[in-house]
Amino acid sequence: NEIYLQGLGGTTPAFTTDLTALEESAAKLLTPQALGYVAGGAGSGATMRANREAFDRWKIVPRMLTDATERDLSVTLFGRRLPAPVLLAPVGVQTIVHPEGELATARAAAALDVPMILSTAAAHTIEEVAQAGGSGPRWFQLYWPNDPDVTASILGRAREQGYTALVVTLDTWTLAWRPRDLDQAYLPFLKAEGTAIAMSDPAFRARLAKTPEEDLPTAILQWVGMFTGTDKSWDRLSVLRELWDGPILLKGIQHVDDARRAVDAGMDGIVVSNHGGRQVDGALASLEALPRIAQAVGGRAEVLFDSGVRTGADVLKALALGAKAVLLGRPYVYGLAHGGEDGVRHVVRSLLAELDLTLALAGYRTPGELSPSALQRG
Ligand code: FNR
């Protein structure tokens, strides 16, 4: 209504409301390197395509005369009520698409009361992003360093700054074969854009022979080297539990046995995700992994979902297949590229409005009413 009313005064939206078209227009705004990094996937791109094809295979079967005139999109996650079942996925190095990077994203998220999940690979520090986000809900995503002191220090900072839930990403302990980045010999982390959190960390700095100010390349290589190795295991998750008293979710779960294992290890939630097709080429579509996992662990842990969400209908489908909420990834990054804070706000508001209308027209009032019977494969 807001958009149509403004149209009476001759104003049309500053950015397209077709979120699937944003990638194309972002291509004109970004450097080839930044575009390749954001839009690219692993290998042949098969997993990325599969993510979208899976959404296309599931169809919504609308119900009539259900009186869905009044809707309530809110959900409660770990004791906090969210306005909608949507969070902003952790995305690192956001200054490659807009100079204000994560600060703009944090402001947009806070304005809408939508949780932002801050990446370990952010281009701004934990403290700066927390300040930008004010009283908005914030979660922290951990790429898990091998060094326990560095892990403890980073998590301590996050807790201190009011990050409530911890998302531990397991699928990226090394980077996949990503042709678009390889062909341009481009890795933003090696240009300092994704190391703000590490370089500002006292425990990490104590490990260095020379400070990052004296020798940044060596410091970056030492940081990147902290992620591969054999010292992580299901048993070691107890270390994280000792360091974090809030909810912990494991991100990157695709196999139902791993989902069960996460719950058995005392985790509070999982994020069913294949990292937007950026890690294992030829992998299962994340949406296809969702129903079995939701069925197996649904009542025992919160099941969140990402990889391929582009529209309100996509959110509805993921919720119907068992997700409690979804993480929005690339689309908000394209919003950031288009218009900084305003661009992110536009994308999230558009998605939520589209979800609201799609839910209504499908015949439902709340996310909780959805079940697999809302869909059919066809
Ligand atoms: C990511 N993703 C990601 N995940 C994570 O846990 N930590 C990170 O730092 C990043 N960084 C990152 C950068 C970029 C440019 C992209 C596109 C993605 C993965 C992200 O959280 C999410 O899983 C995917 O973006 C979901 O896929 P779609 O919906 O974006 O295709």
Side-chain angles (χ1 to χ4, degrees), residues 37-38 89-92 119 121 141 143 169 251 273 275-276 278 306-310 329-330:
Y37 184 69
V38 177
V91 168
S119 162
Q141 176 263 324
Y143 281 134
T169 300
K251 176 170 180 277
S273 166
H275 213 102
R278 298 163 73 78
D306 80 25
S307 296
V309 173
R310 299 292 177 269
R330 288 183 179 93

